[in-house]
Amino acid sequence: MKPELSFCITCKNRLYQIRQTLRKNLDDNAYYNDLIEFILVDFGSDDGLHEWIVDNFQPELASGYLKYYYTDELPQWHMSIAKNTAHWWASGNILVNLDGDNYTGSWGGAYVMKAFEQHGNRCVIHQFSGTYGDGSCGRIAVRSKCFDMIGGYDESFEPMGHQDLDLVERFVQIGLHYILLPDNRYNLAIPNTKKESIIHAASSKSYIEMLRHNEDISRRNLLEGRLIANAGKFGIRKNIFDHNGKIISEK
Protein backbone atom coordinates (compact mmCIF):
# COMPACT_ATOMS: atom_id res chain seq x y z
CA MET A 1 0.00 0.00 0.00
CA LYS A 2 1.29 3.45 -0.88
CA PRO A 3 2.47 5.29 2.26
CA GLU A 4 0.99 8.63 3.18
CA LEU A 5 4.33 10.13 4.25
CA SER A 6 7.97 9.59 3.31
CA PHE A 7 10.91 10.79 5.36
CA CYS A 8 13.68 11.43 2.79
CA ILE A 9 17.23 10.99 4.10
CA THR A 10 20.55 11.43 2.27
CA CYS A 11 23.97 10.31 3.45
CA LYS A 12 27.61 10.20 2.41
CA ASN A 13 30.03 8.93 5.06
CA ARG A 14 27.85 10.00 7.98
CA LEU A 15 27.44 6.61 9.64
CA TYR A 16 28.52 8.17 12.93
CA GLN A 17 25.36 10.29 12.83
CA ILE A 18 22.97 7.79 11.24
CA ARG A 19 23.86 5.43 14.12
CA GLN A 20 22.42 8.00 16.51
CA THR A 21 19.29 9.01 14.61
CA LEU A 22 17.93 6.20 12.44
CA ARG A 23 16.91 3.63 15.05
CA LYS A 24 15.43 6.35 17.24
CA ASN A 25 13.43 7.78 14.34
CA LEU A 26 12.14 4.38 13.26
CA ASP A 27 11.07 3.53 16.80
CA ASP A 28 9.45 6.93 17.31
CA ASN A 29 7.20 6.40 14.28
CA ALA A 30 6.67 2.63 14.41
CA TYR A 31 3.05 2.91 15.53
CA TYR A 32 2.24 4.38 12.11
CA ASN A 33 4.53 2.16 10.04
CA ASP A 34 1.66 1.33 7.71
CA LEU A 35 1.41 5.01 6.77
CA ILE A 36 5.07 6.05 6.88
CA GLU A 37 8.26 5.04 5.10
CA PHE A 38 11.87 6.10 5.57
CA ILE A 39 13.95 6.47 2.39
CA LEU A 40 17.72 6.47 2.99
CA VAL A 41 19.89 7.08 -0.08
CA ASP A 42 23.60 6.40 0.33
CA PHE A 43 25.85 8.26 -2.11
CA GLY A 44 28.96 6.09 -2.16
CA SER A 45 29.72 5.87 1.55
CA ASP A 46 32.81 3.85 2.41
CA ASP A 47 32.44 4.01 6.20
CA GLY A 48 30.43 0.80 6.62
CA LEU A 49 26.96 2.32 6.31
CA HIS A 50 25.68 -0.38 3.94
CA GLU A 51 26.83 -3.23 6.15
CA TRP A 52 25.45 -1.59 9.28
CA ILE A 53 22.03 -1.11 7.70
CA VAL A 54 21.82 -4.70 6.46
CA ASP A 55 23.01 -6.13 9.78
CA ASN A 56 20.66 -4.11 11.98
CA PHE A 57 17.42 -3.41 10.11
CA GLN A 58 16.29 -6.60 8.39
CA PRO A 59 12.69 -6.48 9.68
CA GLU A 60 12.28 -2.85 8.63
CA LEU A 61 13.84 -3.51 5.21
CA ALA A 62 11.66 -6.58 4.66
CA SER A 63 8.46 -4.70 5.50
CA GLY A 64 9.37 -1.62 3.45
CA TYR A 65 9.17 0.65 6.48
CA LEU A 66 12.84 1.42 5.71
CA LYS A 67 14.11 1.54 2.14
CA TYR A 68 17.88 1.76 1.71
CA TYR A 69 19.21 2.72 -1.72
CA TYR A 70 22.79 3.09 -2.91
CA THR A 71 24.40 4.81 -5.89
CA ASP A 72 27.86 5.80 -7.12
CA GLU A 73 26.42 8.38 -9.52
CA LEU A 74 27.29 11.34 -7.25
CA PRO A 75 31.03 11.04 -6.51
CA GLN A 76 31.19 14.62 -5.17
CA TRP A 77 28.57 15.80 -2.72
CA HIS A 78 25.88 18.12 -4.04
CA MET A 79 23.06 18.78 -1.60
CA SER A 80 20.34 19.65 -4.12
CA ILE A 81 21.01 16.59 -6.27
CA ALA A 82 21.19 14.31 -3.24
CA LYS A 83 17.93 15.58 -1.73
CA ASN A 84 16.18 15.47 -5.09
CA THR A 85 17.20 11.84 -5.52
CA ALA A 86 15.79 10.79 -2.16
CA HIS A 87 12.55 12.66 -2.89
CA TRP A 88 12.26 11.18 -6.38
CA TRP A 89 12.45 7.59 -5.12
CA ALA A 90 10.03 8.17 -2.25
CA SER A 91 6.46 6.91 -2.61
CA GLY A 92 4.52 8.97 -0.08
CA ASN A 93 1.87 11.56 -0.80
CA ILE A 94 3.74 13.83 1.62
CA LEU A 95 7.53 14.22 1.29
CA VAL A 96 9.56 15.35 4.30
CA ASN A 97 13.21 16.23 4.01
CA LEU A 98 14.96 14.67 7.00
CA ASP A 99 18.70 15.32 7.14
CA GLY A 100 20.67 12.40 8.50
CA ASP A 101 21.46 14.31 11.70
CA ASN A 102 17.78 15.11 12.39
CA TYR A 103 15.30 13.57 14.82
CA THR A 104 11.59 13.37 14.00
CA GLY A 105 10.48 13.38 17.61
CA SER A 106 7.97 10.92 19.08
CA TRP A 107 5.22 10.35 16.49
CA GLY A 108 6.80 13.05 14.35
CA GLY A 109 5.30 11.69 11.15
CA ALA A 110 1.80 11.80 12.62
CA TYR A 111 2.47 15.38 13.71
CA VAL A 112 3.21 16.38 10.10
CA MET A 113 0.25 14.44 8.69
CA LYS A 114 -2.06 16.15 11.17
CA ALA A 115 -0.69 19.53 10.09
CA PHE A 116 -1.66 18.81 6.48
CA GLU A 117 -5.12 17.74 7.60
CA GLN A 118 -5.45 21.05 9.42
CA HIS A 119 -3.98 23.37 6.78
CA GLY A 120 -4.88 21.56 3.55
CA ASN A 121 -2.86 20.18 0.67
CA ARG A 122 -1.69 23.50 -0.78
CA CYS A 123 0.79 24.34 1.93
CA VAL A 124 4.48 23.91 2.68
CA ILE A 125 5.30 22.93 6.25
CA HIS A 126 8.59 24.31 7.59
CA GLN A 127 9.75 22.88 10.91
CA PHE A 128 12.46 25.50 11.29
CA SER A 129 13.24 26.63 14.82
CA GLY A 130 14.23 30.10 13.65
CA THR A 131 17.84 29.58 14.72
CA TYR A 132 20.15 29.30 11.74
CA GLY A 133 22.81 26.64 12.06
CA ASP A 134 20.93 24.35 14.45
CA GLY A 135 20.11 21.84 11.69
CA SER A 136 16.36 22.47 11.47
CA CYS A 137 16.17 24.83 8.47
CA GLY A 138 15.99 21.95 5.99
CA ARG A 139 12.98 20.26 7.61
CA ILE A 140 10.51 20.93 4.81
CA ALA A 141 7.34 18.96 4.08
CA VAL A 142 5.15 19.28 1.00
CA ARG A 143 2.80 17.21 -1.12
CA SER A 144 4.70 15.10 -3.65
CA LYS A 145 2.70 16.58 -6.55
CA CYS A 146 3.85 20.07 -5.57
CA PHE A 147 7.47 18.95 -5.26
CA ASP A 148 7.36 17.35 -8.71
CA MET A 149 5.65 20.37 -10.23
CA ILE A 150 8.33 22.79 -9.05
CA GLY A 151 11.26 20.59 -10.11
CA GLY A 152 12.67 20.06 -6.63
CA TYR A 153 15.78 21.71 -5.25
CA ASP A 154 17.80 23.78 -7.72
CA GLU A 155 20.64 21.63 -9.04
CA SER A 156 22.31 24.61 -10.74
CA PHE A 157 23.40 25.83 -7.31
CA GLU A 158 26.83 25.38 -5.79
CA PRO A 159 26.92 22.13 -3.75
CA MET A 160 25.85 23.72 -0.46
CA GLY A 161 23.98 26.75 0.79
CA HIS A 162 20.51 28.33 0.51
CA GLN A 163 18.89 25.40 -1.28
CA ASP A 164 16.27 24.98 1.46
CA LEU A 165 15.12 28.59 1.67
CA ASP A 166 15.08 28.87 -2.12
CA LEU A 167 12.78 25.85 -2.30
CA VAL A 168 10.44 27.28 0.31
CA GLU A 169 10.30 30.67 -1.41
CA ARG A 170 9.48 29.09 -4.78
CA PHE A 171 6.65 27.13 -3.19
CA VAL A 172 5.27 30.33 -1.73
CA GLN A 173 5.58 32.08 -5.10
CA ILE A 174 3.45 29.41 -6.82
CA GLY A 175 0.75 29.94 -4.21
CA LEU A 176 1.37 27.46 -1.41
CA HIS A 177 0.63 28.64 2.11
CA TYR A 178 3.73 28.83 4.30
CA ILE A 179 3.18 27.12 7.66
CA LEU A 180 5.94 27.49 10.24
CA LEU A 181 5.95 24.80 12.95
CA PRO A 182 9.01 25.46 15.14
CA ASP A 183 8.05 23.01 17.94
CA ASN A 184 11.40 21.69 19.19
CA ARG A 185 9.88 18.36 20.19
CA TYR A 186 9.88 17.52 16.47
CA ASN A 187 12.90 19.24 14.90
CA LEU A 188 15.99 18.54 16.99
CA ALA A 189 19.30 17.80 15.26
CA ILE A 190 22.86 16.80 16.06
CA PRO A 191 25.07 19.91 15.84
CA ASN A 192 27.38 20.11 12.80
CA THR A 193 30.10 22.46 11.70
CA LYS A 194 30.09 23.87 8.18
CA LYS A 195 33.45 22.16 7.68
CA GLU A 196 31.70 18.83 8.18
CA SER A 197 28.92 19.85 5.82
CA ILE A 198 31.16 20.61 2.84
CA ILE A 199 33.88 18.00 3.31
CA HIS A 200 32.82 15.95 0.26
CA ALA A 201 31.71 18.87 -1.93
CA ALA A 202 33.73 19.67 -5.04
CA SER A 203 33.97 23.44 -5.00
CA SER A 204 36.79 25.92 -4.68
CA LYS A 205 34.45 28.19 -2.71
CA SER A 206 34.05 28.33 1.04
CA TYR A 207 30.63 27.63 2.52
CA ILE A 208 29.93 31.36 2.85
CA GLU A 209 30.94 31.95 -0.78
CA MET A 210 28.70 29.12 -1.95
CA LEU A 211 25.85 30.48 0.17
CA ARG A 212 26.15 33.98 -1.30
CA HIS A 213 26.48 32.64 -4.83
CA ASN A 214 23.32 30.56 -4.45
CA GLU A 215 21.45 33.45 -2.83
CA ASP A 216 22.25 35.59 -5.87
CA ILE A 217 20.98 32.92 -8.28
CA SER A 218 17.84 32.45 -6.22
CA ARG A 219 17.14 36.17 -6.07
CA ARG A 220 17.49 36.59 -9.82
CA ASN A 221 15.29 33.58 -10.54
CA LEU A 222 12.55 34.83 -8.23
CA LEU A 223 12.64 38.34 -9.68
CA GLU A 224 12.37 36.97 -13.20
CA GLY A 225 9.66 34.45 -12.35
CA ARG A 226 11.76 31.33 -12.94
CA LEU A 227 10.16 29.12 -10.34
CA ILE A 228 10.55 25.65 -11.86
CA ALA A 229 14.05 24.24 -11.38
CA ASN A 230 15.96 21.70 -13.46
CA ALA A 231 13.50 21.92 -16.37
CA GLY A 232 11.23 19.79 -14.20
CA LYS A 233 13.52 16.73 -14.19
CA PHE A 234 15.50 16.22 -11.02
CA GLY A 235 17.55 13.73 -9.06
CA ILE A 236 19.57 10.66 -10.04
CA ARG A 237 17.36 8.12 -11.79
CA LYS A 238 19.80 5.46 -12.97
CA ASN A 239 22.17 3.01 -11.30
CA ILE A 240 20.28 3.02 -8.02
CA PHE A 241 20.59 -0.22 -6.04
CA ASP A 242 18.68 -1.55 -3.05
CA HIS A 243 20.13 -3.20 0.06
CA ASN A 244 20.33 -6.55 -1.75
CA GLY A 245 22.34 -5.07 -4.62
CA LYS A 246 19.37 -5.22 -7.01
CA ILE A 247 19.06 -2.32 -9.43
CA ILE A 248 15.88 -0.30 -8.98
CA SER A 249 13.76 0.22 -12.07
CA GLU A 250 12.68 3.63 -13.30
CA LYS A 251 9.80 4.92 -11.18
Side-chain angles (χ1 to χ4, degrees):
M1 184 175 66
K2 184 176 180 178
E4 179 62 16
L5 182 145
S6 300
F7 283 114
C8 305
I9 310 169
T10 62
C11 188
K12 184 178 180 68
N13 288 331
R14 291 292 188 93
L15 175 58
Y16 66 97
Q17 292 185 335
I18 294 291
R19 279 182 181 273
Q20 299 178 65
T21 59
L22 184 58
R23 171 52 68 191
K24 175 65 172 168
N25 287 336
L26 289 167
D27 290 349
D28 277 348
N29 293 275
Y31 184 82
Y32 292 98
N33 64 9
D34 58 332
L35 297 174
I36 293 172
E37 68 176 3
F38 285 79
I39 305 292
L40 171 57
V41 183
D42 174 6
F43 295 91
S45 295
D46 57 11
D47 58 357
L49 175 63
H50 183 110
E51 294 79 8
W52 183 75
I53 293 291
V54 171
D55 289 347
N56 290 278
F57 297 95
Q58 280 298 323
E60 293 83 0
L61 292 167
S63 70
Y65 181 39
L66 170 64
K67 295 183 175 71
Y68 170 82
Y69 299 146
Y70 175 95
T71 183
D72 283 323
E73 292 291 317
L74 190 67
Q76 303 295 334
W77 184 251
H78 194 290
M79 184 64 82
S80 291
I81 298 174
K83 289 184 176 183
N84 280 344
T85 302
H87 285 61
W88 168 252
W89 290 101
S91 303
N93 294 316
I94 298 169
L95 305 181
V96 185
N97 181 67
L98 185 72
D99 292 342
D101 55 12
N102 278 205
Y103 295 98
T104 68
S106 181
W107 292 15
Y111 174 74
V112 174
M113 289 187 288
K114 185 177 180 180
F116 276 93
E117 290 178 8
Q118 179 181 354
H119 297 286
N121 291 333
R122 290 195 60 79
C123 69
V124 52
I125 303 292
H126 198 192
Q127 293 179 261
F128 178 36
S129 70
T131 301
Y132 290 100
D134 71 354
S136 66
C137 187
R139 188 75 69 81
I140 300 165
V142 71
R143 287 285 177 180
S144 59
K145 290 181 180 179
C146 296
F147 190 89
D148 292 349
M149 178 178 64
I150 209 167
Y153 296 86
D154 195 330
E155 296 179 6
S156 74
F157 280 7
E158 285 285 323
M160 294 287 297
H162 197 65
Q163 68 281 333
D164 299 312
L165 293 179
D166 172 76
L167 183 74
V168 168
E169 184 59 33
R170 286 188 287 122
F171 281 133
V172 171
Q173 290 294 318
I174 66 167
L176 298 193
H177 300 292
Y178 176 77
I179 308 298
L180 178 64
L181 298 179
D183 192 329
N184 64 12
R185 293 174 298 173
Y186 302 104
N187 66 359
L188 296 180
I190 300 168
N192 281 300
T193 66
K194 293 306 179 187
K195 183 178 179 180
E196 287 177 289
S197 299
I198 68 172
I199 190 170
H200 297 292
S203 177
S204 60
K205 295 180 173 68
S206 68
Y207 175 80
I208 294 298
E209 289 170 332
M210 286 191 282
L211 174 66
R212 290 173 178 165
H213 176 86
N214 292 343
E215 285 176 335
D216 288 343
I217 294 175
S218 176
R219 190 178 301 110
R220 287 198 301 271
N221 286 341
L222 292 169
L223 285 172
E224 297 172 13
R226 292 194 295 267
L227 305 179
I228 298 175
N230 315 308
K233 184 173 182 179
F234 55 86
I236 297 169
R237 306 187 182 188
K238 65 177 183 178
N239 295 328
I240 304 284
F241 299 86
D242 68 10
H243 66 282
N244 290 316
K246 179 182 177 181
I247 195 163
I248 306 300
S249 301
E250 179 77 8
K251 206 171 113 176

